Amino acid sequence: DLGVGGKPTNETLGEVLEKYLHQITPKKKSSEVEKIKIKRLMREPVASVQFCRLTPQHIAKFRDDRLRSVSGTTALKDLSLLSHAITIAVREWGLPLAVNPVKQITKPKQNKPRDRRLEAGEEQQLMAACSESRNPYFKAFVVVAIETAMRRGEMLSLQRQHIDFEARTAFLPDTKNGYNRTIPLSNRAILQLMDIQPHISGRVFPISVTALRGQWRRMIAKTGLDDLHLHDLRHEATTRLFEKGFNIMEVSTITGHRDLQMLKRYIHIRAADLVLRLG
């Protein structure tokens, strides 16, 4: 098996993923989350396959194995990450592979978008469970998520210096889609932010992704709200903005949605409420 300059290459897919982890992942905004994903991929059987011998059959088996334990959307994200690592290895590192095998297989279907709302009494349950958390930042994190519709990554990277308590705004200089934006803060959000101690790191919520997931799992176990995901809070917050009378352009300015099609599903949820206003 010959690589660049005719040199033999015996790299496994796992070794390629490890190189990607050190060279490519740190440049990404979601690097902390991606590190966890790549380390898990490196434990998969497909990671032991010699890179230059990868076939669509190897990737198809990986896809099918993943679909036994995760959703189609999650499997798609894994495949996308694998595909990019393979492309980088061939184009930039000179590893021999004629065709990217991920591009040759049938992709799993995406899940239907979740439309989980907080039901009557559930927010009170969440707040009670949050209040029992040993992490002094967790309750404020949940409240601010519900009040602002910020993404998890945006909140975890939010700097205290970017909060204007007088103007009641939070500035996000580097968001997922590459644009900065300023978010209005409700009275409730401001009170929560004023209530937490400034951290030496400068971050408003000095919590790692892993710790946050652990906190959320423990809280869900206490409340019994098994079907509630952390990301559902962004959905709840976005829907509440529409319920307060903001139009689609105003909401997209707050939430950071560049694709207005993504926001249209939030409008459909309001149809039942609009019936009451029609009379």
Side-chain angles (χ1 to χ4, degrees), residues 78-132:
D78 284 346
L79 288 167
S80 177
L81 184 53
L82 269 180
S83 182
H84 192 244
I86 290 168
T87 297
I88 292 290
V90 173
R91 288 183 184 171
E92 299 191 16
W93 302 334
L95 294 189
L97 197 62
V99 184
N100 186 333
V102 180
K103 295 181 178 178
Q104 295 178 287
I105 66 162
T106 304
K107 304 298 186 297
K109 290 182 180 177
Q110 282 214 2
N111 311 353
K112 288 182 180 178
R114 285 175 62 82
D115 58 3
R116 175 71 159 87
R117 293 290 311 270
L118 290 176
E119 304 294 338
E122 288 186 343
E123 190 168 347
Q124 288 80 359
Q125 284 180 268
L126 289 182
M127 292 303 105
C130 284
S131 297
E132 294 174 15

Tab-separated table of all heavy atoms in Angstrom, residues 78-132:
chain	number	residue	atom	x	y	z
A	78	ASP	N	-22.401	11.389	12.888
A	78	ASP	CA	-21.192	10.562	12.971
A	78	ASP	C	-20.614	10.307	11.583
A	78	ASP	O	-19.399	10.397	11.372
A	78	ASP	CB	-21.510	9.221	13.639
A	78	ASP	CG	-21.679	9.331	15.146
A	78	ASP	OD1	-21.304	10.376	15.701
A	78	ASP	OD2	-22.186	8.378	15.758
A	79	LEU	N	-21.486	9.989	10.642
A	79	LEU	CA	-21.044	9.712	9.269
A	79	LEU	C	-20.443	10.962	8.627
A	79	LEU	O	-19.453	10.887	7.895
A	79	LEU	CB	-22.220	9.199	8.433
A	79	LEU	CG	-22.687	7.773	8.754
A	79	LEU	CD1	-24.032	7.493	8.101
A	79	LEU	CD2	-21.648	6.741	8.302
A	80	SER	N	-21.031	12.110	8.906
A	80	SER	CA	-20.521	13.364	8.367
A	80	SER	C	-19.118	13.653	8.900
A	80	SER	O	-18.230	14.087	8.150
A	80	SER	CB	-21.472	14.505	8.747
A	80	SER	OG	-20.968	15.740	8.296
A	81	LEU	N	-18.916	13.387	10.175
A	81	LEU	CA	-17.602	13.594	10.796
A	81	LEU	C	-16.574	12.632	10.200
A	81	LEU	O	-15.445	13.034	9.862
A	81	LEU	CB	-17.723	13.399	12.309
A	81	LEU	CG	-16.490	13.670	13.168
A	81	LEU	CD1	-15.906	15.050	12.898
A	81	LEU	CD2	-16.855	13.540	14.654
A	82	LEU	N	-16.957	11.369	10.042
A	82	LEU	CA	-16.076	10.375	9.417
A	82	LEU	C	-15.706	10.802	8.001
A	82	LEU	O	-14.545	10.718	7.596
A	82	LEU	CB	-16.784	9.010	9.356
A	82	LEU	CG	-16.610	8.043	10.525
A	82	LEU	CD1	-17.385	6.761	10.241
A	82	LEU	CD2	-15.150	7.738	10.785
A	83	SER	N	-16.717	11.249	7.256
A	83	SER	CA	-16.502	11.640	5.868
A	83	SER	C	-15.503	12.790	5.756
A	83	SER	O	-14.612	12.771	4.902
A	83	SER	CB	-17.842	12.053	5.236
A	83	SER	OG	-17.663	12.394	3.876
A	84	HIS	N	-15.633	13.768	6.646
A	84	HIS	CA	-14.713	14.915	6.588
A	84	HIS	C	-13.295	14.500	6.952
A	84	HIS	O	-12.323	14.961	6.321
A	84	HIS	CB	-15.193	16.026	7.521
A	84	HIS	CG	-14.470	17.317	7.303
A	84	HIS	ND1	-13.675	17.906	8.261
A	84	HIS	CD2	-14.378	18.122	6.204
A	84	HIS	CE1	-13.145	19.015	7.771
A	84	HIS	NE2	-13.557	19.170	6.529
A	85	ALA	N	-13.161	13.609	7.948
A	85	ALA	CA	-11.831	13.125	8.340
A	85	ALA	C	-11.172	12.382	7.180
A	85	ALA	O	-9.973	12.543	6.911
A	85	ALA	CB	-11.947	12.219	9.559
A	86	ILE	N	-11.950	11.578	6.464
A	86	ILE	CA	-11.419	10.826	5.314
A	86	ILE	C	-11.010	11.779	4.197
A	86	ILE	O	-9.937	11.638	3.593
A	86	ILE	CB	-12.472	9.803	4.820
A	86	ILE	CG1	-12.630	8.681	5.860
A	86	ILE	CG2	-12.082	9.218	3.468
A	86	ILE	CD1	-13.828	7.766	5.635
A	87	THR	N	-11.839	12.775	3.934
A	87	THR	CA	-11.530	13.762	2.885
A	87	THR	C	-10.239	14.516	3.200
A	87	THR	O	-9.376	14.698	2.324
A	87	THR	CB	-12.699	14.759	2.733
A	87	THR	OG1	-13.867	14.043	2.305
A	87	THR	CG2	-12.372	15.835	1.716
A	88	ILE	N	-10.087	14.949	4.445
A	88	ILE	CA	-8.869	15.665	4.858
A	88	ILE	C	-7.644	14.768	4.711
A	88	ILE	O	-6.584	15.192	4.223
A	88	ILE	CB	-9.003	16.155	6.323
A	88	ILE	CG1	-10.058	17.259	6.439
A	88	ILE	CG2	-7.648	16.630	6.873
A	88	ILE	CD1	-9.675	18.578	5.807
A	89	ALA	N	-7.787	13.503	5.111
A	89	ALA	CA	-6.662	12.557	5.052
A	89	ALA	C	-6.176	12.354	3.622
A	89	ALA	O	-4.972	12.260	3.358
A	89	ALA	CB	-7.079	11.225	5.665
A	90	VAL	N	-7.123	12.298	2.676
A	90	VAL	CA	-6.761	12.079	1.267
A	90	VAL	C	-6.215	13.360	0.638
A	90	VAL	O	-5.153	13.357	0.013
A	90	VAL	CB	-7.992	11.568	0.478
A	90	VAL	CG1	-7.681	11.512	-1.020
A	90	VAL	CG2	-8.409	10.186	0.988
A	91	ARG	N	-6.935	14.472	0.823
A	91	ARG	CA	-6.565	15.717	0.143
A	91	ARG	C	-5.352	16.409	0.744
A	91	ARG	O	-4.523	16.969	0.029
A	91	ARG	CB	-7.743	16.692	0.173
A	91	ARG	CG	-8.884	16.302	-0.739
A	91	ARG	CD	-9.966	17.366	-0.695
A	91	ARG	NE	-11.131	16.981	-1.482
A	91	ARG	CZ	-12.279	17.644	-1.489
A	91	ARG	NH1	-12.413	18.734	-0.735
A	91	ARG	NH2	-13.300	17.236	-2.215
A	92	GLU	N	-5.258	16.388	2.076
A	92	GLU	CA	-4.216	17.189	2.728
A	92	GLU	C	-3.062	16.364	3.291
A	92	GLU	O	-1.956	16.882	3.438
A	92	GLU	CB	-4.848	18.054	3.827
A	92	GLU	CG	-5.892	19.017	3.278
A	92	GLU	CD	-6.338	20.053	4.298
A	92	GLU	OE1	-5.646	20.232	5.323
A	92	GLU	OE2	-7.379	20.685	4.055
A	93	TRP	N	-3.328	15.099	3.614
A	93	TRP	CA	-2.261	14.279	4.202
A	93	TRP	C	-1.745	13.228	3.233
A	93	TRP	O	-0.856	12.449	3.564
A	93	TRP	CB	-2.745	13.623	5.497
A	93	TRP	CG	-3.213	14.621	6.522
A	93	TRP	CD1	-2.825	15.919	6.649
A	93	TRP	CD2	-4.184	14.403	7.559
A	93	TRP	NE1	-3.481	16.524	7.691
A	93	TRP	CE2	-4.317	15.617	8.289
A	93	TRP	CE3	-4.945	13.304	7.967
A	93	TRP	CZ2	-5.181	15.758	9.368
A	93	TRP	CZ3	-5.796	13.436	9.044
A	93	TRP	CH2	-5.914	14.655	9.740
A	94	GLY	N	-2.330	13.190	2.035
A	94	GLY	CA	-1.815	12.309	0.981
A	94	GLY	C	-2.034	10.830	1.183
A	94	GLY	O	-1.314	10.016	0.595
A	95	LEU	N	-3.005	10.452	1.982
A	95	LEU	CA	-3.254	9.020	2.178
A	95	LEU	C	-4.033	8.463	0.987
A	95	LEU	O	-4.895	9.137	0.433
A	95	LEU	CB	-4.032	8.782	3.476
A	95	LEU	CG	-3.292	9.128	4.773
A	95	LEU	CD1	-4.074	8.642	5.987
A	95	LEU	CD2	-1.895	8.525	4.814
A	96	PRO	N	-3.723	7.207	0.605
A	96	PRO	CA	-4.313	6.652	-0.616
A	96	PRO	C	-5.706	6.052	-0.392
A	96	PRO	O	-5.886	5.137	0.409
A	96	PRO	CB	-3.317	5.552	-1.007
A	96	PRO	CG	-2.724	5.105	0.289
A	96	PRO	CD	-2.722	6.294	1.207
A	97	LEU	N	-6.683	6.620	-1.089
A	97	LEU	CA	-8.041	6.058	-1.099
A	97	LEU	C	-8.735	6.684	-2.310
A	97	LEU	O	-8.851	7.916	-2.397
A	97	LEU	CB	-8.786	6.408	0.193
A	97	LEU	CG	-10.042	5.588	0.509
A	97	LEU	CD1	-9.708	4.106	0.692
A	97	LEU	CD2	-10.725	6.114	1.761
A	98	ALA	N	-9.162	5.844	-3.233
A	98	ALA	CA	-9.691	6.353	-4.508
A	98	ALA	C	-10.974	7.153	-4.326
A	98	ALA	O	-11.139	8.220	-4.913
A	98	ALA	CB	-9.924	5.184	-5.463
A	99	VAL	N	-11.893	6.622	-3.509
A	99	VAL	CA	-13.198	7.263	-3.315
A	99	VAL	C	-13.546	7.252	-1.841
A	99	VAL	O	-13.233	6.294	-1.133
A	99	VAL	CB	-14.311	6.514	-4.104
A	99	VAL	CG1	-15.642	7.237	-3.971
A	99	VAL	CG2	-13.942	6.376	-5.569
A	100	ASN	N	-14.176	8.316	-1.365
A	100	ASN	CA	-14.623	8.371	0.027
A	100	ASN	C	-15.801	7.400	0.197
A	100	ASN	O	-16.879	7.634	-0.356
A	100	ASN	CB	-15.056	9.798	0.369
A	100	ASN	CG	-15.387	9.981	1.838
A	100	ASN	OD1	-15.781	9.037	2.515
A	100	ASN	ND2	-15.242	11.196	2.335
A	101	PRO	N	-15.618	6.317	0.964
A	101	PRO	CA	-16.672	5.299	1.062
A	101	PRO	C	-17.942	5.786	1.760
A	101	PRO	O	-19.017	5.232	1.534
A	101	PRO	CB	-16.003	4.174	1.861
A	101	PRO	CG	-14.896	4.830	2.606
A	101	PRO	CD	-14.427	5.954	1.745
A	102	VAL	N	-17.815	6.831	2.579
A	102	VAL	CA	-19.011	7.358	3.264
A	102	VAL	C	-19.991	7.923	2.234
A	102	VAL	O	-21.209	7.833	2.397
A	102	VAL	CB	-18.639	8.447	4.291
A	102	VAL	CG1	-19.882	8.983	4.992
A	102	VAL	CG2	-17.655	7.895	5.322
A	103	LYS	N	-19.449	8.477	1.145
A	103	LYS	CA	-20.297	9.088	0.117
A	103	LYS	C	-20.986	8.053	-0.772
A	103	LYS	O	-21.844	8.391	-1.577
A	103	LYS	CB	-19.474	10.051	-0.739
A	103	LYS	CG	-18.962	11.243	0.063
A	103	LYS	CD	-18.166	12.209	-0.780
A	103	LYS	CE	-17.726	13.405	0.064
A	103	LYS	NZ	-16.906	14.371	-0.686
A	104	GLN	N	-20.613	6.775	-0.601
A	104	GLN	CA	-21.167	5.721	-1.454
A	104	GLN	C	-22.308	4.941	-0.791
A	104	GLN	O	-22.946	4.130	-1.446
A	104	GLN	CB	-20.049	4.754	-1.862
A	104	GLN	CG	-18.982	5.397	-2.743
A	104	GLN	CD	-17.878	4.420	-3.072
A	104	GLN	OE1	-17.049	4.073	-2.235
A	104	GLN	NE2	-17.866	3.941	-4.316
A	105	ILE	N	-22.538	5.167	0.484
A	105	ILE	CA	-23.571	4.387	1.177
A	105	ILE	C	-24.881	5.169	1.293
A	105	ILE	O	-24.910	6.390	1.137
A	105	ILE	CB	-23.116	3.956	2.597
A	105	ILE	CG1	-22.956	5.177	3.516
A	105	ILE	CG2	-21.824	3.145	2.531
A	105	ILE	CD1	-22.932	4.839	4.985
A	106	THR	N	-25.949	4.455	1.568
A	106	THR	CA	-27.249	5.080	1.800
A	106	THR	C	-27.258	5.685	3.193
A	106	THR	O	-26.917	5.014	4.168
A	106	THR	CB	-28.382	4.035	1.696
A	106	THR	OG1	-28.291	3.404	0.419
A	106	THR	CG2	-29.742	4.687	1.866
A	107	LYS	N	-27.637	6.947	3.280
A	107	LYS	CA	-27.632	7.642	4.576
A	107	LYS	C	-28.930	7.376	5.336
A	107	LYS	O	-30.000	7.251	4.721
A	107	LYS	CB	-27.475	9.154	4.373
A	107	LYS	CG	-26.248	9.569	3.577
A	107	LYS	CD	-24.954	9.174	4.260
A	107	LYS	CE	-23.742	9.732	3.536
A	107	LYS	NZ	-23.571	9.241	2.176
A	108	PRO	N	-28.862	7.274	6.638
A	108	PRO	CA	-30.097	7.114	7.428
A	108	PRO	C	-30.948	8.374	7.354
A	108	PRO	O	-30.439	9.464	7.062
A	108	PRO	CB	-29.583	6.889	8.851
A	108	PRO	CG	-28.184	7.395	8.864
A	108	PRO	CD	-27.661	7.296	7.472
A	109	LYS	N	-32.230	8.225	7.582
A	109	LYS	CA	-33.127	9.372	7.548
A	109	LYS	C	-33.013	10.187	8.828
A	109	LYS	O	-32.824	9.626	9.900
A	109	LYS	CB	-34.579	8.909	7.367
A	109	LYS	CG	-34.854	8.344	5.981
A	109	LYS	CD	-36.307	7.943	5.853
A	109	LYS	CE	-36.579	7.381	4.452
A	109	LYS	NZ	-37.979	6.912	4.320
A	110	GLN	N	-33.150	11.502	8.681
A	110	GLN	CA	-33.149	12.372	9.859
A	110	GLN	C	-34.434	12.166	10.644
A	110	GLN	O	-35.479	11.844	10.090
A	110	GLN	CB	-33.067	13.838	9.430
A	110	GLN	CG	-31.679	14.252	9.047
A	110	GLN	CD	-31.382	15.696	9.422
A	110	GLN	OE1	-32.207	16.371	10.005
A	110	GLN	NE2	-30.207	16.156	9.092
A	111	ASN	N	-34.347	12.370	11.947
A	111	ASN	CA	-35.556	12.310	12.786
A	111	ASN	C	-36.463	13.469	12.433
A	111	ASN	O	-36.005	14.507	11.947
A	111	ASN	CB	-35.209	12.468	14.270
A	111	ASN	CG	-34.088	11.564	14.701
A	111	ASN	OD1	-33.650	10.726	13.948
A	111	ASN	ND2	-33.631	11.734	15.918
A	112	LYS	N	-37.727	13.322	12.715
A	112	LYS	CA	-38.626	14.463	12.616
A	112	LYS	C	-38.203	15.468	13.682
A	112	LYS	O	-37.795	15.076	14.772
A	112	LYS	CB	-40.079	14.022	12.871
A	112	LYS	CG	-40.666	13.215	11.733
A	112	LYS	CD	-42.113	12.852	12.029
A	112	LYS	CE	-42.694	12.047	10.873
A	112	LYS	NZ	-44.092	11.628	11.146
A	113	PRO	N	-38.280	16.776	13.375
A	113	PRO	CA	-37.890	17.778	14.373
A	113	PRO	C	-38.701	17.611	15.655
A	113	PRO	O	-39.900	17.370	15.613
A	113	PRO	CB	-38.228	19.111	13.683
A	113	PRO	CG	-38.271	18.799	12.233
A	113	PRO	CD	-38.760	17.383	12.125
A	114	ARG	N	-38.023	17.729	16.783
A	114	ARG	CA	-38.725	17.631	18.063
A	114	ARG	C	-39.561	18.888	18.291
A	114	ARG	O	-39.164	19.988	17.900
A	114	ARG	CB	-37.713	17.494	19.213
A	114	ARG	CG	-37.090	16.108	19.301
A	114	ARG	CD	-36.022	16.062	20.375
A	114	ARG	NE	-36.547	16.326	21.711
A	114	ARG	CZ	-37.136	15.413	22.478
A	114	ARG	NH1	-37.295	14.183	22.044
A	114	ARG	NH2	-37.561	15.727	23.688
A	115	ASP	N	-40.721	18.703	18.890
A	115	ASP	CA	-41.541	19.870	19.220
A	115	ASP	C	-41.991	19.802	20.683
A	115	ASP	O	-43.083	20.189	21.039
A	115	ASP	CB	-42.739	19.995	18.269
A	115	ASP	CG	-43.627	18.744	18.293
A	115	ASP	OD1	-43.336	17.825	19.086
A	115	ASP	OD2	-44.601	18.696	17.530
A	116	ARG	N	-41.085	19.307	21.530
A	116	ARG	CA	-41.390	19.142	22.955
A	116	ARG	C	-41.517	20.493	23.639
A	116	ARG	O	-40.616	21.314	23.579
A	116	ARG	CB	-40.289	18.301	23.606
A	116	ARG	CG	-40.389	18.115	25.130
A	116	ARG	CD	-41.541	17.192	25.490
A	116	ARG	NE	-41.363	16.626	26.815
A	116	ARG	CZ	-41.771	17.203	27.955
A	116	ARG	NH1	-42.365	18.384	27.933
A	116	ARG	NH2	-41.582	16.593	29.113
A	117	ARG	N	-42.656	20.736	24.269
A	117	ARG	CA	-42.870	21.939	25.076
A	117	ARG	C	-42.892	21.566	26.547
A	117	ARG	O	-43.144	20.418	26.908
A	117	ARG	CB	-44.221	22.591	24.725
A	117	ARG	CG	-44.351	23.184	23.343
A	117	ARG	CD	-43.526	24.434	23.134
A	117	ARG	NE	-43.653	25.448	24.159
A	117	ARG	CZ	-44.546	26.446	24.166
A	117	ARG	NH1	-45.427	26.551	23.171
A	117	ARG	NH2	-44.555	27.354	25.122
A	118	LEU	N	-42.642	22.541	27.399
A	118	LEU	CA	-42.809	22.321	28.834
A	118	LEU	C	-44.300	22.329	29.141
A	118	LEU	O	-45.008	23.278	28.801
A	118	LEU	CB	-42.100	23.421	29.631
A	118	LEU	CG	-40.562	23.396	29.595
A	118	LEU	CD1	-40.007	24.597	30.342
A	118	LEU	CD2	-40.016	22.106	30.184
A	119	GLU	N	-44.757	21.261	29.769
A	119	GLU	CA	-46.175	21.167	30.137
A	119	GLU	C	-46.409	21.872	31.468
A	119	GLU	O	-45.460	22.260	32.162
A	119	GLU	CB	-46.591	19.688	30.226
A	119	GLU	CG	-46.331	18.878	28.950
A	119	GLU	CD	-47.185	19.326	27.780
A	119	GLU	OE1	-48.242	19.954	28.016
A	119	GLU	OE2	-46.788	19.052	26.628
A	120	ALA	N	-47.673	21.999	31.824
A	120	ALA	CA	-48.035	22.675	33.086
A	120	ALA	C	-47.327	22.023	34.269
A	120	ALA	O	-47.362	20.803	34.425
A	120	ALA	CB	-49.548	22.614	33.286
A	121	GLY	N	-46.642	22.827	35.052
A	121	GLY	CA	-45.973	22.340	36.262
A	121	GLY	C	-44.559	21.839	36.053
A	121	GLY	O	-43.799	21.682	37.020
A	122	GLU	N	-44.174	21.584	34.788
A	122	GLU	CA	-42.844	21.008	34.547
A	122	GLU	C	-41.720	22.001	34.808
A	122	GLU	O	-40.651	21.617	35.299
A	122	GLU	CB	-42.754	20.461	33.120
A	122	GLU	CG	-43.561	19.200	32.910
A	122	GLU	CD	-43.369	18.576	31.538
A	122	GLU	OE1	-42.867	19.270	30.620
A	122	GLU	OE2	-43.713	17.390	31.379
A	123	GLU	N	-41.946	23.268	34.494
A	123	GLU	CA	-40.897	24.255	34.755
A	123	GLU	C	-40.637	24.383	36.252
A	123	GLU	O	-39.483	24.500	36.689
A	123	GLU	CB	-41.264	25.618	34.160
A	123	GLU	CG	-40.103	26.597	34.203
A	123	GLU	CD	-40.347	27.845	33.368
A	123	GLU	OE1	-41.288	27.872	32.555
A	123	GLU	OE2	-39.585	28.802	33.543
A	124	GLN	N	-41.699	24.331	37.033
A	124	GLN	CA	-41.553	24.379	38.498
A	124	GLN	C	-40.751	23.166	38.995
A	124	GLN	O	-39.900	23.290	39.887
A	124	GLN	CB	-42.932	24.418	39.181
A	124	GLN	CG	-43.672	25.751	39.019
A	124	GLN	CD	-44.359	25.891	37.666
A	124	GLN	OE1	-44.285	25.005	36.816
A	124	GLN	NE2	-45.012	27.031	37.456
A	125	GLN	N	-41.024	21.995	38.393
A	125	GLN	CA	-40.272	20.788	38.761
A	125	GLN	C	-38.786	20.958	38.440
A	125	GLN	O	-37.918	20.594	39.246
A	125	GLN	CB	-40.801	19.575	37.990
A	125	GLN	CG	-42.117	19.013	38.490
A	125	GLN	CD	-42.529	17.814	37.642
A	125	GLN	OE1	-43.246	17.945	36.654
A	125	GLN	NE2	-42.055	16.647	38.011
A	126	LEU	N	-38.511	21.513	37.258
A	126	LEU	CA	-37.120	21.739	36.860
A	126	LEU	C	-36.415	22.684	37.820
A	126	LEU	O	-35.289	22.433	38.252
A	126	LEU	CB	-37.054	22.326	35.444
A	126	LEU	CG	-37.414	21.431	34.262
A	126	LEU	CD1	-37.225	22.201	32.960
A	126	LEU	CD2	-36.558	20.173	34.242
A	127	MET	N	-37.091	23.778	38.163
A	127	MET	CA	-36.479	24.769	39.046
A	127	MET	C	-36.199	24.189	40.440
A	127	MET	O	-35.155	24.445	41.036
A	127	MET	CB	-37.383	26.001	39.160
A	127	MET	CG	-37.502	26.831	37.878
A	127	MET	SD	-35.908	27.401	37.242
A	127	MET	CE	-35.669	26.300	35.833
A	128	ALA	N	-37.128	23.376	40.917
A	128	ALA	CA	-36.939	22.751	42.238
A	128	ALA	C	-35.740	21.814	42.215
A	128	ALA	O	-34.907	21.810	43.132
A	128	ALA	CB	-38.203	21.991	42.638
A	129	ALA	N	-35.629	21.016	41.149
A	129	ALA	CA	-34.502	20.085	41.029
A	129	ALA	C	-33.189	20.839	40.832
A	129	ALA	O	-32.152	20.458	41.386
A	129	ALA	CB	-34.739	19.123	39.875
A	130	CYS	N	-33.220	21.924	40.049
A	130	CYS	CA	-32.015	22.744	39.827
A	130	CYS	C	-31.518	23.348	41.140
A	130	CYS	O	-30.309	23.467	41.371
A	130	CYS	CB	-32.311	23.877	38.851
A	130	CYS	SG	-32.420	23.378	37.149
A	131	SER	N	-32.452	23.751	41.979
A	131	SER	CA	-32.096	24.386	43.252
A	131	SER	C	-31.343	23.426	44.169
A	131	SER	O	-30.597	23.854	45.048
A	131	SER	CB	-33.356	24.888	43.961
A	131	SER	OG	-33.984	25.889	43.178
A	132	GLU	N	-31.535	22.127	43.954
A	132	GLU	CA	-30.856	21.119	44.782
A	132	GLU	C	-29.485	20.748	44.226
A	132	GLU	O	-28.737	20.005	44.864
A	132	GLU	CB	-31.728	19.860	44.872
A	132	GLU	CG	-33.044	20.086	45.614
A	132	GLU	CD	-33.948	18.862	45.572
A	132	GLU	OE1	-33.446	17.771	45.222
A	132	GLU	OE2	-35.144	18.991	45.886
